[in-house]
Amino acid sequence: DAGITQSPRHKVTETGTPVTLRCHQTENHRYMYWYRQDPGHGLRLIHYSYGVKDTDKGEVSDGYSVSRSKTEDFLLTLESATSSQTSVYFCAIALAGGKGLYNEQFFGPGTRLTVL
Amino acid sequence: KQEVTQIPAALSVPEGENLVLNCSFTDSAIYNLQWFRQDPGKGLTSLLLIQSSQREQTSGRLNASLDKSSGRSTLYIAASQPGDSATYLCAVRPHYQLIWGAGTKLIIKP
C-alpha cells in the first residue's frame, strides 16, 4: 500500500459537464500518473507529473487536463465530459530515487466514471 | 512500436498446480518489466519488477523471468491457491510510459 486514495470512487455525470477526479498520496512521492482502463484497450496513460506544477501528456491526453499544486494531490479534469470518457480511472505513483519515472509503479483503487 | 502480448487470455487450473503465465514484447529496448495482478473491480497490485539487467525476481511463491533478447517474460506461480485467482498483467517500460499487455485471467479451482 503506497498510501494512495482516489475520490470519488464512483461518479455518474452528464455529457458536457466538467468533472474533476482527485488522487491523494500521503508519502510524498514525486512521480504521479493518471491512467484509464477500458475493455479492449487495456491501460493507457493520460497525463503524468514529475513534481509540483510539472506535468506532461501521455498517449490519450485529448479532453483531459491535470494540475498538481501540492505534492500530495494530482487532479484530473474532464473539461466537458463525453460518453467516450466513460471508463475506470487509475492514479499511480512511482517511488523516488533510482530511475525516477522508470521506477516501479503502485496504483490507487480507481474511480469508475460513467458519462451519460 | 512496442507491443505486448499475453497468452493465454484465460487459464483455469486445479488448486495446487504450478503454472506459468507468458508475456512477450516486440522491442527489446526496455528499462524494466513489471507484473501486476488485478482482482475484479479493484485496482492493480504490483507483484514484481525486473530491471533490464536482471534475469529473474522472486517473491514468495512467485518467480518472474526476463529474456530481453527474445522479448519474453514468464511469471511462475508455485502451488497455486484459489486466492491466486485474478487477472495478471505485464507491462514493459521502453521509456517513462508503461506499455501494457491485455492480461491473463487466471482461475484456480478448489
Side-chain angles (χ1 to χ4, degrees), chain B residues 2-99:
Chain B
Q2 178 74 268
E3 293 183 356
V4 180
T5 303
Q6 292 186 247
I7 295 173
L11 180 64
S12 179
V13 301
E15 179 179 4
E17 284 200 2
N18 304 324
L19 58 99
V20 174
L21 305 181
N22 297 296
C23 173
S24 61
F25 47 96
T26 54
D27 189 339
S28 63
I30 62 171
Y31 284 90
N32 51 48
L33 181 148
Q34 197 166 348
W35 282 94
F36 296 85
R37 70 173 277 168
Q38 185 173 28
D39 296 281
K42 301 289 181 60
L44 288 84
T45 301
S46 178
L47 298 174
L48 289 162
L49 174 77
I50 309 180
Q51 300 293 353
S52 61
S53 58
Q54 298 175 317
R55 298 283 294 185
E56 64 179 76
Q57 280 281 11
T58 298
S59 176
R61 294 183 294 108
L62 305 179
N63 176 278
S65 69
L66 175 63
D67 183 343
K68 252 188 19 167
S69 61
S70 66
R72 296 173 65 182
S73 176
T74 61
L75 180 67
Y76 175 83
I77 303 176
S80 58
Q81 304 170 357
D84 295 330
S85 297
T87 296
Y88 290 79
L89 297 155
C90 75
V92 300
R93 190 178 275 102
H95 43 75
Y96 66 88
Q97 181 168 320
L98 283 169
I99 308 297

Side-chain angles (χ1 to χ4, degrees), chain A residues 6-78:
Chain A
Q6 293 184 232
S7 59
R9 294 293 314 280
H10 302 272
K11 185 170 182 67
V12 179
T13 191
E14 294 190 349
T15 298
T17 60
V19 176
T20 295
L21 308 183
R22 180 187 185 221
C23 178
H24 179 75
Q25 51 114 343
T26 59
E27 300 184 11
N28 215 33
H29 299 296
R30 178 179 175 185
Y31 306 103
M32 300 183 75
Y33 309 78
W34 276 108
Y35 291 89
R36 60 179 290 175
Q37 185 177 35
D38 306 286
H41 289 280
L43 280 110
R44 294 177 290 176
L45 181 66
I46 306 171
H47 281 279
Y48 66 99
S49 170
Y50 44 96
V52 174
K53 298 186 180 178
D54 291 324
T55 65
D56 207 345
K57 297 179 180 180
E59 97 182 85
V60 290
S61 60
D62 287 349
Y64 301 95
S65 62
V66 290
S67 65
R68 194 167 178 202
S69 58
K70 300 184 290 185
T71 299
E72 59 265 35
D73 288 324
F74 191 30
L75 304 180
L76 177 71
T77 297
L78 290 65

